Amino acid sequence: MARTSGGRLIAAIIVGAIAVPLSGCLYAQIPSDPVVVDEPVDEPVDEPAEEPSGSLPSTLSFADGTALPATAYVEWGDGFFADDGWTVEQPDDGNGGWSYRTIDGTCLAQFWQGLIPDVPVVDGDDGISSDAMLAVILGDAATADITPVATTGGFAYQSSGNTDVENRQVTGQDGERVWIMAARAFTATGVGVYVIVDCTGGDAAAVMAEVVAANAIVVTE
């Protein structure tokens, strides 16, 4: 399902297009020892995986991201559109954001894609720039605060069954509420994507693994 490409990240936060489903001092909810979120295991799928075409790199590690053509289009693939285990919480808002909730109501997954010219990225360093995205989304931290408490994970690339798009993620907890935020900046194209999994009573790590397995990052030239 095609989704709109958002505007600028900071502008979207200011106008409320990104309704971060959390409250309080979010950075304070992140433990000093990074929480490692188990990634879905790469398993063979019945259908051949969609291979990157043209000049696209075969994987999207942070280093590989610098090889993306500046004109490449990066977006989320919507794997929950026809999934009976999820229901639409917020339809595509036209600013790059939408969200789904688990059918039992315990977990929310909020997606965003769009431009990041107002994020203090480091050209050619998608890893640090992804930390900068997390800091902007959190709103009460700097990039230097995020780097030591974040871990490196992965999104699926082009289709399910892999974790070939490196990302940076942080986990926080406030009582029974556990949230995981994962982001990837693509400095070669000036865009970024993120997802927040926010659970009360649910297994946030397992839900994040499900989100990653079902929703690939799709790149076209």
Side-chain angles (χ1 to χ4, degrees):
M1 180 179 180
R3 293 290 187 180
T4 58
S5 180
R8 299 185 178 194
L9 179 58
I10 292 178
I13 292 172
I14 291 172
V15 301
I18 299 172
V20 179
L22 306 164
S23 61
C25 182
L26 301 184
Y27 176 68
Q29 298 173 15
I30 303 172
S32 56
D33 293 327
V35 176
V36 178
V37 178
D38 292 336
E39 297 294 335
V41 177
D42 291 358
E43 296 180 347
V45 293
D46 293 336
E47 297 180 1
E50 181 179 343
E51 295 294 331
S53 61
S55 58
L56 298 178
S58 59
T59 63
L60 277 178
S61 67
F62 295 130
D64 292 334
T66 63
L68 282 176
T71 56
Y73 188 77
V74 181
E75 62 182 335
W76 282 105
D78 190 342
F80 288 157
F81 178 64
D83 191 320
D84 292 339
W86 293 80
T87 183
V88 175
E89 177 81 1
Q90 175 186 299
D92 190 326
D93 58 16
N95 292 295
W98 65 93
S99 61
Y100 286 95
R101 186 173 293 277
T102 53
I103 201 70
D104 64 5
T106 59
C107 294
L108 180 72
Q110 182 178 358
F111 299 84
W112 184 84
Q113 60 190 28
L115 304 173
I116 53 172
D118 295 332
V119 176
V121 301
V122 176
D123 287 341
D125 192 330
D126 286 7
I128 290 296
S129 299
S130 298
D131 288 348
M133 274 190 69
L134 291 172
V136 168
I137 300 163
L138 287 165
D140 57 359
T143 303
D145 299 320
I146 296 300
T147 298
V149 298
T151 59
T152 297
F155 295 134
Y157 183 33
Q158 305 294 58
S159 60
S160 61
N162 67 83
T163 52
D164 290 343
V165 181
E166 281 191 314
N167 65 37
R168 293 285 284 170
Q169 53 190 257
V170 289
T171 300
Q173 184 167 359
D174 183 16
E176 294 184 356
R177 195 174 199 180
V178 178
W179 54 267
I180 304 171
M181 183 181 298
R184 171 62 187 263
F186 298 91
T187 58
T189 63
V191 304
V193 298
Y194 83 73
V195 63
I196 300 171
V197 166
D198 178 20
C199 296
T200 301
D203 187 337
V207 173
M208 176 59 87
E210 182 180 353
V211 167
V212 168
N215 300 271
I217 301 301
V218 179
V219 184
T220 53
E221 293 185 271

